[in-house]
Amino acid sequence: MFNYIKESYNELVNKVTWPTFGQLQNSTVVVMVASVIFALVVLVMDMSFETILAQVYKFLASVGR
């Protein structure tokens, strides 16, 4: 078990290429922009479905009278 931890630490320190701070900042901005775009698309879809269903319910209510 100790050997596994020692090898894992060695791999993380010497073999893994860690991103620079600038790369992390760029990745963070990309993820944030993509998240906002995705949220806006979902919002538009939600509002569209709400409007469509409201019209369908209004139509069905008028037919039932």
Side-chain angles (χ1 to χ4, degrees):
M1 183 70 169
F2 179 73
N3 192 33
Y4 172 76
I5 294 171
K6 183 179 172 184
E7 289 176 4
S8 297
Y9 175 79
N10 184 35
E11 185 172 343
L12 285 172
V13 171
N14 298 319
K15 295 181 181 179
V16 173
T17 304
W18 296 98
T20 64
F21 186 69
Q23 290 172 330
L24 286 175
Q25 285 179 321
N26 289 338
S27 297
T28 301
V29 169
V30 168
V31 169
M32 289 173 56
V33 169
S35 297
V36 168
I37 290 171
F38 184 73
L40 290 173
V41 168
V42 170
L43 175 67
V44 168
M45 289 173 55
D46 182 51
M47 292 174 67
S48 299
F49 287 132
E50 181 181 5
T51 303
I52 291 168
L53 286 176
Q55 293 299 321
V56 168
Y57 294 151
K58 186 177 179 181
F59 172 75
L60 291 176
S62 68
V63 169
R65 291 182 183 179

